Amino acid sequence: MVTFTHQDDGTPERLWRSEWRANRPLDFESFFDGRPPERLILLSAHPDDETLAAGGLLTRLKNEFHLPVDVVVATAGEASHPASTTHSRDVLARRRKSELREAVQLLAADSRVHFLDLPDGAVTALPVARALRTLLGPQPSERTLLVAPWHRDGHPDHDAAGDAARSVAEEHGIALLEYPVWLWHWAEPSSSSVPWDTMRILPLTETELELKTAAQRMHVTQIEPLSEKPGDEVLLGPAIIEHFARPFEAFAVTPPLSAFERLHAGSKDPWGYEDRFYERRKRAVSLALLPRERYSHGLELGCSVGVLSTELAARCDSLVAVDVSPSAVGQAANRLAGYKGAEARVTRIPEEWPEGIFDLIVLSETGYYLSAAQLEEVISRCLGSLGQDGVVMLCHWRHPVDGWPLNGDAVHEAFRACRGLELFAEHQEEDFRIDILTQPGAVSVARGSGLL
């Protein structure tokens, strides 16, 4: 059990800066399969936690995505100065609530603030979880982002709030970001307690950092003495505040349940790959357009339940089929069990990418589930993974894809505009299109087989 007080010397910020070990940036859209978040719920144990550790994130999400924001505060922080002879708990509660409202208004105007008024120093997870469930409603948007204190921060109120958030996030399958506050004070970079593996950073712009600093100054009861009398000393001294003057914020990330996992977990074949003539015909056309009978190393991006994967495996010496849904990959792995050299993996593209060089890369009905930035990175990674005589096959639905930022035509045009790839063959009709792209200089099938 961690024990500390704010009066301890603590770990100097210069040590954290010199031994920082987490540089992967937060990508909000990657949490939601290429779509932006729709709602933010920011939980804090005491007024000022959210400003110190997540003020920049609050400003970024409000300004970039124009989200509805709810700030939930477990306590009023009335026990921050238990020995004060000038400020009663009621007075401190009123002041701290007012400070928080002003800070939040500066960081993200029009955010809704909810005080749970739980006892400071005696927060338990159950009432916090109950309040979060009420706020979320019975069917929260799958693109809700929940942000809360880290559940191992060392302060009992922070830990209880974090436990509540983790429980609710797991229950609803929503994304959770946990922010440490006191960890930076009592731990060291080499400590096994620091969640480096799951930590992501949000680099702050100069304007965001200035806003955050101004908002911190609004928590006067914490950063200045209440008076000159004993018991009214500063709670958050310069050494503590320095941890929150970084040009970035850090969060331990628990990704949400993917929309595709929700879909595949409830159906063995949600797209009707096996039953629909449309799907069977589309696969036949796709495979017929491939310019070679066999390939050495194939990569399928977005394999779903593996129906196309089996037909690709029959033409590849080895095949790596990937999808973000564990349920889908499980079915694909079962289908591929009889094909030597074929495997299915749970992989989130483009952040995760299979190693190796491939002479066939297939992107079928997957590209429009990416954001524009993700699609750009997928194209770059495809180029980096494509062998000298490699082929990229694209196949996508051409009608609108509700709720997603791109459509099939946009995906294909982005690939076709890429330097380093040339159009080898194409097929277009009202419902879908297929493009076969190769590196410059590819020869026709007739020439390659010696007919010409």
Side-chain angles (χ1 to χ4, degrees), residues 42-45 49-50 53-54 147-150 153 177-181 250-251:
L42 176 55
L43 172 66
S44 67
D49 296 333
E50 73 300 314
V147 182
W150 185 45
D153 203 34
L177 305 184
E178 297 178 78
Y179 56 84
V181 176
F251 302 88

Side-chain angles (χ1 to χ4, degrees), residues 7-27:
Q7 295 173 329
D8 296 339
D9 290 339
T11 303
E13 174 61 13
R14 65 178 181 276
L15 181 60
W16 288 105
R17 297 287 185 99
S18 65
E19 297 188 29
W20 191 258
R21 305 178 187 186
N23 293 312
R24 290 184 62 179
L26 274 174
D27 179 358

